[in-house]
């Protein structure tokens, strides 16, 4: 998906919501598990996880522009989990082809290894974007940038407590590591094929991000269950083209564990979409 296509979807839906599919068998509603066990017995895992994802996608698709399955929640179940990930991506492509698909895998390794990771996600799975760790430098990132219409989403300033261990450390000139990542990586890619992960809990730090990367899209986790403020993210991070994909996972997909889980997920997604529409109006979108 091109930048122009993504912006068009944001304008049409009046939303920049990304729904995180962090699908955990221990958190999905018991009614889904019971139904899967009735059909498949002890081999219920694949059916239960696929069914949950499909129902969540159907419920939230009108209110979001992107989905972000986190690979950790699929790889944890071995072959069955990988098959669920593949089936989920296939379902999105067949039923909702205009939605942006992000594989949250945080890959990044020496060049020849990154080349194979890129082949996996951009050829085998054919997702739109992949999260990538920048620590190993240029040759670990550029293989992912060889695919037209595909995006690298580089970790820049994350929302976890440990972000202070490295990302906010300063060099002798007072430049923080996340700023160096932003500046240096713009020599490898551009705002048509590279985004950055910036945690919603970083608040006013979005001002500093925008000084270095004024036009790039930012993938922003941490709104909802992690306590990030959508209003603050938009105040300091939104651009004339929106420039944001704000992710919510637990706050939507696990908003209810009862039989009404789909309706409640839709309600939570719609609430965020309505807030986003108000923010978009402020910049004339």
């Amino acid at each position: 998906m091109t930048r122009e296509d993504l912006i068009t979807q944001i304008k049409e839906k009046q939303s920049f919501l990304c729904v995180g599919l962090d699908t955990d068998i221990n958190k999905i509603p018991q009614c889904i598990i019971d139904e899967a066990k009735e059909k498949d017995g002890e081999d219920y895992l694949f059916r239960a996880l696929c069914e949950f994802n499909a129902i969540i996608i159907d419920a939230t698709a009108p209110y979001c522009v992107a989905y972000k399955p986190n690979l950790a929640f699929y790889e944890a179940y071995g072959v069955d989990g990988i098959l669920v990930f593949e089936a989920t991506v296939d379902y999105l492509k067949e039923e909702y082809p205009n939605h942006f698909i992000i594989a949250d895998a945080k890959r990044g390794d020496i060049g020849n290894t990154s080349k194979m990771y890129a082949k996996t996600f951009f050829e085998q799975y054919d997702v739109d974007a992949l999260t990538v760790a920048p620590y190993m430098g240029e040759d670990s990132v550029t293989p992912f940038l060889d695919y037209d219409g595909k995006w690298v989403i580089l970790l820049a300033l994350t929302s976890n407590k440990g972000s202070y261990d490295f990302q906010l450390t300063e060099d002798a000139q007072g430049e923080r590591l996340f700023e160096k990542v932003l500046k240096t990586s713009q020599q490898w890619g551009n705002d048509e094929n590279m985004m950055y992960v910036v945690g919603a809990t970083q608040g006013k730090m979005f001002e500093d991000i925008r000084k270095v990367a004024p036009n790039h899209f930012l993938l922003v986790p941490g709104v909802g269950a992690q306590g990030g403020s959508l209003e603050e993210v938009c105040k300091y991070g939104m651009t004339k083209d929106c420039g944001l994909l704000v992710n919510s996972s637990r706050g939507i997909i696990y908003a209810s564990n009862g039989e009404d889980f789909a309706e409640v997920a839709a309600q939570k997604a719609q609430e965020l979409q309505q807030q986003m529409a108000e923010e978009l109006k402020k910049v004339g979108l």
Side-chain angles (χ1 to χ4, degrees):
M1 181 180 288
T2 67
R3 178 186 174 95
E4 185 178 349
D5 291 337
L6 181 56
I7 293 170
T8 296
Q9 288 300 307
I10 289 169
K11 289 179 178 177
E12 287 182 357
K13 289 197 163 183
Q14 286 294 286
S15 173
F16 44 97
L17 175 61
C18 174
V19 174
L21 298 173
D22 298 0
T23 308
D24 184 345
I25 196 67
N26 296 309
K27 293 181 179 179
I28 71 173
Q30 190 62 42
C31 59
I32 292 289
I33 295 174
D34 291 342
E35 184 178 336
K37 283 183 175 179
E38 274 186 32
K39 294 177 179 177
D40 294 343
E42 291 303 309
D43 297 322
Y44 69 92
L45 182 73
F46 174 80
R47 182 183 295 273
L49 296 179
C50 283
E51 184 70 8
F52 176 75
N53 278 0
I55 293 172
I56 288 291
I57 290 167
D58 289 344
T60 58
Y63 312 112
C64 70
V65 295
Y67 287 96
K68 183 177 71 66
N70 186 323
L71 266 292
F73 289 85
Y74 300 87
E75 293 170 338
Y77 301 114
V79 173
D80 278 348
I82 294 299
L83 291 174
V84 172
F85 171 74
E86 290 182 347
T88 300
V89 170
D90 288 345
Y91 186 76
L92 283 167
K93 287 184 167 296
E94 290 169 9
E95 300 296 328
Y96 303 99
N98 292 324
H99 281 67
F100 193 71
I101 305 174
I102 302 167
D104 189 0
K106 300 178 180 68
R107 298 299 195 253
D109 208 326
I110 59 173
N112 63 332
T113 307
S114 282
K115 184 176 181 179
M116 299 309 288
Y117 280 138
K119 182 179 178 69
T120 298
F121 288 98
F122 292 151
E123 294 185 33
Q124 184 68 31
Y125 298 137
D126 194 26
V127 297
D128 295 298
L130 177 69
T131 56
V132 175
Y135 185 76
M136 292 182 68
E138 180 178 7
D139 62 313
S140 71
V141 175
T142 51
F144 298 103
L145 295 168
D146 288 339
Y147 291 82
D148 291 339
K150 304 297 186 184
W151 294 77
V152 166
I153 307 182
L154 213 61
L155 299 176
L157 186 57
T158 56
S159 57
N160 61 307
K161 182 180 177 181
S163 64
Y164 287 86
D165 293 340
F166 299 115
Q167 296 166 27
L168 290 163
T169 56
E170 298 181 6
D171 63 16
Q173 289 71 46
E175 184 175 62
R176 291 164 292 186
L177 181 57
F178 79 86
E179 292 170 319
K180 188 178 291 292
V181 168
L182 292 170
K183 289 177 182 177
T184 303
S185 62
Q186 288 179 60
Q187 300 170 28
W188 315 332
N190 53 55
D191 61 14
E192 300 278 346
N193 63 4
M194 184 177 285
M195 302 185 189
Y196 296 103
V197 175
V198 181
T201 55
Q202 296 295 348
K204 201 170 183 292
M205 292 288 283
F206 278 81
E207 263 190 330
D208 295 338
I209 296 281
R210 283 305 185 200
K211 289 174 184 175
V212 184
N215 298 315
H216 286 70
F217 263 84
L218 307 178
L219 173 64
V220 185
V223 166
Q226 295 181 50
S229 164
L230 177 64
E231 185 177 6
E232 195 169 49
V233 167
C234 294
K235 179 179 179 180
Y236 298 113
M238 185 170 280
T239 69
K240 62 181 177 60
D241 294 325
C242 181
L244 299 170
L245 288 176
V246 171
N247 183 79
S248 179
S249 301
R250 288 171 287 168
I252 291 176
I253 69 173
Y254 300 131
S256 170
N257 62 3
E259 293 188 2
D260 64 347
F261 75 95
E263 290 83 358
V264 177
Q267 178 186 341
K268 295 298 182 182
Q270 186 179 29
E271 288 172 2
L272 273 173
Q273 180 271 320
Q274 290 172 343
Q275 293 173 43
M276 289 175 175
E278 291 300 315
E279 296 296 335
L280 288 169
K281 286 178 185 176
K282 294 177 183 178
V283 294
L285 289 174

